[in-house]
Amino acid sequence: MEKRYGNLIVELACQLIAPFILLFGLYVIFHGHHSPGGGFQGGAILAAMAILLRLSLGMELTSRIFSPRLMPAFAAAGLLIFAGVGVAAIFGGGNFLDYGAIPVQGVSEPSLHHNGILLAELGIALSVFGVMLSIFDTLIRDK
Amino acid sequence: MAKLLSHWPYLLILVLMALGLYGVLSKHNLMKKVIGLNIFQSSIILFFISISAKWGATVPVIDPELDATDPSLYANPLPHVLMLTAIVVMVATLGVALSIIVLIYRRYHSLDEREILERMRQE
Amino acid sequence: MKPVMVIVTLMFAGVMSYLMMSLPPFGDPSAPANQHISPYYIENTIEDTDTPNIVTSILADYRGYDTFGETLVIFTAGLGCFLLLRRHSDGKTIR
């Protein structure tokens, strides 16, 4: 799995389908308020896209896009986004993760909840993506 | 018999659960034990999802055109949430289990439980 | 060894199928699991959070603390996997 798969049809098919999987993953994350979906599912779909590229194109080419060194940082960044939304609510005088208390002027409370959920889902998706891909990378690197 | 007609999904889940337990108990390969553990976990996830089902209910997404918030129209969303997180945690813990198996193989050059125990005694 | 395991599994299945009989019927809307707190979530999600997907609103809002803990768990699992199999700068691994 460190090398390319070496078959033209497989490599081309995976390259062709990857952008659509990426788009679908982003749709699942950002449309998670109105249809089945959300951070966990979208992050898993994005990780599946990256793993498909890793399997077909090899580590050397794909590490330029999704560097294995960056993945733990992605996971930590997602967790920090989630925690940051929670701490922002503390600054507004509410409890941890009480999105209604986030201090933004001129936004009604349900709308604050709506956007807080979106940020939290974004953090979850980033975290799931980073964790899945870093687990995959560490398991295939074994020599 | 009437119980069988109203409880048959639980019976299928029980079969899956017993299969997973048998795999964990009787197989000597660590990899197969992990697979058995995952089958057991899947049966528990299916059990929670089957708890949340209601006859005549739809997915727990409120239809803006319908605009009805009658609880009997929507499936119970709470088990869905719990299992959504449980599935992802299951995958992450599977990763940890696999990396521990890799380490065991590096040290003892075997995945068979009995051989590993034998080599641990020799050291 | 294997016959013992078959007997243990069959005993487990027997006990579980006996306990299964006391569960509420499949798909019963008046089962205790469907009565306790989930009607509150279904009725109030629109006015509380403006989010039609009840699963999302419970996941990130009503039970956000739980989800935060779960995210911490998967982060710790990924980090544990990373640290168990990493190679040190002098080329050594954990043995």
Side-chain angles (χ1 to χ4, degrees), chain A residues 33-36 40-41 128 131-132 135 139 142-143, chain B residues 59 61 84-85 88 91-92 95-96 98-99 102 106:
Chain A
H33 287 59
H34 303 277
S35 66
F40 283 108
Q41 300 95 315
V128 169
V131 166
M132 296 282 158
I135 287 175
L139 282 178
D142 178 47
K143 275 259 173 63
Chain B
V59 288
V61 178
L84 184 58
T85 51
V88 180
V91 174
V96 176
L98 289 179
S99 50
V102 167
R106 263 189 211 159

Side-chain angles (χ1 to χ4, degrees), chain B:
Chain B
M1 215 49 209
K3 281 278 183 188
L4 201 62
L5 279 178
S6 61
H7 287 68
W8 58 269
Y10 301 133
L11 206 63
L12 298 182
I13 289 160
L14 182 61
V15 170
L16 209 57
M17 202 179 243
L19 274 177
L21 186 72
Y22 180 73
V24 173
L25 286 178
S26 73
K27 296 293 170 193
H28 293 289
N29 192 323
L30 291 181
M31 205 62 209
K32 289 179 181 172
K33 271 186 196 285
V34 169
I35 292 172
L37 215 57
N38 268 283
I39 293 173
F40 197 94
Q41 216 166 1
S42 308
S43 79
I44 288 169
I45 286 170
L46 278 174
F47 176 63
F48 266 71
I49 294 299
S50 71
I51 277 179
S52 79
K54 297 176 192 168
W55 290 119
T58 179
V59 288
V61 178
I62 286 174
D63 194 343
E65 289 175 8
L66 214 64
D67 202 32
T69 51
D70 183 10
S72 67
L73 283 180
Y74 301 101
N76 188 355
L78 199 52
H80 287 118
V81 174
L82 300 176
M83 288 309 107
L84 184 58
T85 51
I87 290 169
V88 180
V89 170
M90 173 176 148
V91 174
T93 48
L94 175 67
V96 176
L98 289 179
S99 50
I100 290 175
I101 285 177
V102 167
L103 285 181
I104 289 173
Y105 188 80
R106 263 189 211 159
R107 180 154 177 165
Y108 297 108
H109 299 289
S110 169
L111 283 184
D112 193 299
E113 202 184 30
R114 294 161 295 187
E115 267 184 55
I116 291 169
L117 282 174
E118 188 65 33
R119 279 170 205 180
M120 278 168 93
R121 277 194 209 99
Q122 281 171 8
E123 277 185 3

Side-chain angles (χ1 to χ4, degrees), chain A residues 1-6 11 14-15 18 46-72 129-130 132-141:
Chain A
M1 284 164 221
E2 303 265 325
K3 295 188 197 107
R4 293 176 72 127
Y5 190 79
E11 284 184 9
C14 291
Q15 282 180 63
L46 291 185
M49 184 264 311
I51 288 172
L52 183 72
L53 283 180
R54 284 256 152 100
L55 287 175
S56 65
L57 292 182
M59 199 61 156
E60 230 175 274
L61 276 173
T62 50
S63 63
R64 288 181 207 157
I65 320 171
F66 316 106
S67 169
R69 289 164 178 275
L70 272 179
M71 285 310 135
F129 173 72
M132 296 282 158
L133 213 51
S134 85
I135 287 175
F136 179 79
D137 285 340
T138 50
L139 282 178
I140 66 164
R141 201 180 50 196

Side-chain angles (χ1 to χ4, degrees), chain A residues 32-37 40 72 75-76 79 82-83 96-97 99 110 113-114 117 121 124 127-128 131 138-139 141 143, chain C residues 46-53 56-57 59-61 64-65 67-68 70-72 74-75 78 81-82 85-87:
Chain A
H33 287 59
H34 303 277
S35 66
F40 283 108
L79 200 59
F82 198 170
F96 183 60
L97 288 170
Y99 307 128
H113 276 281
H114 187 91
I117 288 173
E121 296 272 10
I124 294 168
S127 188
V128 169
V131 166
T138 50
L139 282 178
R141 201 180 50 196
K143 275 259 173 63
Chain C
I46 290 286
E47 49 197 270
D48 279 355
T49 65
D50 197 18
T51 304
N53 189 349
T56 301
S57 71
L59 181 83
D61 197 333
Y65 209 86
T67 311
F68 185 70
E70 300 271 14
T71 318
L72 203 60
I74 64 161
F75 177 68
C81 195
F82 183 75
L85 288 181
R86 79 179 166 154
R87 203 174 288 138

